[in-house]
Amino acid sequence: MAPLKFCANISWLFTELPDFSQRIYAAASAGFQAVEAAWLYDSDLQELQRVREATGVEVVLINTPPGDVKAGDLGLGAVPGRETEFKQGLDLALKYAKALECKRIHLMAGRVPVGSDRAAVAKEMEAIFVHNLKYAADILSKEGITGLIEPINTRITDPRYFLDSPHQAAAILEKVGKPNIKLQMDVFHWQIMDGNLTQNINKYFPLIGHVQIAQVPDRNEPDSAGEINYSYLFNTLDKLNYQGHIGCEYKPLRATNEGLGWLKNYWTQSK
């Protein structure tokens, strides 16, 4: 079997450097052949294109715009009354994805509105999310792009995020019923919300379109102190013949390059 493929999340790694173009160069120098990022929209698109072509690094994932961050937004996909803005954000994400030849877009669900009770608005938000995901699926399918939905834990990271478990995500994907809308598995969030990683990975593997990793609970390097045995999980994904990328979305304890020993060891052992 081919070794697992890792990509650097340049919103989290190489932040010693101020702009994304420099981080792409740094990722390439560190041995990464691919990168992902949350929001590139403040960066010059032509410069990003130039750097991607110069380095040969693949851009494998970007997120839809968060909305108004200062007002508390973190995505708009499931937020009542923000459907037009979601579509506008999708258009912008698609523009960047096409220019960067990126084949995956994380369609962010967003937060339960301030002052609203989660249980009281859950059905409405789910219906909006399903509608928006069906719309996005049709737009993205014309470009050969996969849309992804990612559960984000509500215990530590974001108490108001609407989509917070793989079980909820799987139920929504079933209602959407579009083959190009898949599940983004961030192991950090899955462990915090539900644990039971082996069973959940096996159960939901057919739905998974992208993977991200970080240690729990402090969200540092996979080989830092914490709850998750990543050697075991990598072996699990390998046995399942996972073909996609694994995004390194963690907070380096030191300079990014100093914390890449785990990955360089993996690369060496996989040769």
Side-chain angles (χ1 to χ4, degrees):
M1 266 183 236
L4 296 170
K5 298 182 293 185
F6 293 86
C7 61
N9 188 308
I10 54 173
S11 297
W12 291 73
L13 304 189
F14 304 106
T15 57
E16 304 91 340
L17 301 168
D19 64 66
F20 283 118
S21 295
Q22 291 174 302
R23 294 176 196 176
I24 293 173
Y25 276 117
S29 295
F32 286 100
Q33 296 180 351
V35 299
E36 63 180 29
W39 306 299
L40 296 165
Y41 305 111
D42 290 333
S43 300
D44 181 79
L45 183 53
Q46 289 185 325
E47 173 65 8
L48 291 173
Q49 285 179 290
R50 187 188 68 77
V51 173
R52 188 194 66 78
E53 291 166 6
T55 58
V57 167
E58 182 183 358
V59 179
V60 300
L61 171 73
I62 60 174
N63 293 358
T64 49
D68 187 346
V69 175
K70 291 182 180 178
D73 290 337
L74 191 68
L76 301 172
V79 182
R82 308 292 294 276
E83 292 88 343
T84 298
E85 291 167 86
F86 170 80
K87 292 177 180 178
Q88 292 169 344
L90 179 64
D91 289 343
L92 181 60
L94 187 57
K95 175 185 175 181
Y96 271 70
K98 288 169 65 177
L100 298 171
E101 299 182 23
C102 174
K103 294 300 182 182
R104 291 165 201 81
I105 297 176
H106 170 202
L107 306 165
M108 300 196 73
R111 291 169 168 153
V112 174
V114 174
S116 297
D117 176 72
R118 178 182 292 272
V121 298
K123 285 187 177 180
E124 179 190 9
M125 292 188 72
E126 181 182 276
I128 291 168
F129 200 25
V130 168
H131 176 80
N132 282 336
L133 291 173
K134 288 181 177 179
Y135 171 84
D138 293 339
I139 298 291
L140 298 180
S141 67
K142 296 172 185 175
E143 306 296 339
I145 293 174
T146 297
L148 298 162
I149 63 171
E150 178 191 10
I152 294 176
N153 82 81
T154 50
R155 289 185 170 142
I156 297 176
T157 302
D158 198 320
R160 285 179 30 235
Y161 203 76
F162 170 68
L163 186 67
D164 69 356
S165 80
H167 319 298
Q168 180 192 12
I172 287 171
L173 289 175
E174 185 174 2
K175 291 180 180 179
V176 173
K178 299 285 187 176
N180 68 322
I181 305 294
K182 306 282 279 185
L183 179 57
Q184 182 168 316
M185 177 181 75
D186 189 322
V187 178
F188 173 78
H189 296 305
W190 284 32
Q191 169 66 6
I192 290 169
M193 288 305 294
D194 199 62
N196 196 29
L197 291 173
T198 303
Q199 294 301 314
N200 283 337
I201 291 170
N202 279 281
K203 180 177 181 179
Y204 295 120
F205 186 75
L207 303 178
I208 293 172
H210 189 65
V211 175
Q212 293 176 324
I213 57 171
Q215 189 55 271
V216 176
D218 294 326
R219 211 169 188 176
N220 303 128
E221 286 88 346
D223 66 338
S224 61
E227 300 173 12
I228 301 176
N229 180 344
Y230 270 105
S231 294
Y232 171 80
L233 281 188
F234 293 157
N235 190 47
T236 299
L237 290 171
D238 196 33
K239 287 179 179 177
L240 288 167
N241 197 28
Y242 175 65
Q243 297 291 308
H245 283 84
I246 298 174
C248 301
E249 189 184 70
Y250 59 78
K251 296 178 290 186
L253 284 166
R254 298 170 295 280
T256 300
N257 278 316
E258 292 179 29
L260 290 176
W262 66 273
L263 182 54
K264 292 177 180 178
N265 288 339
Y266 178 86
W267 284 336
T268 299
Q269 293 167 8
S270 300
K271 288 181 179 178

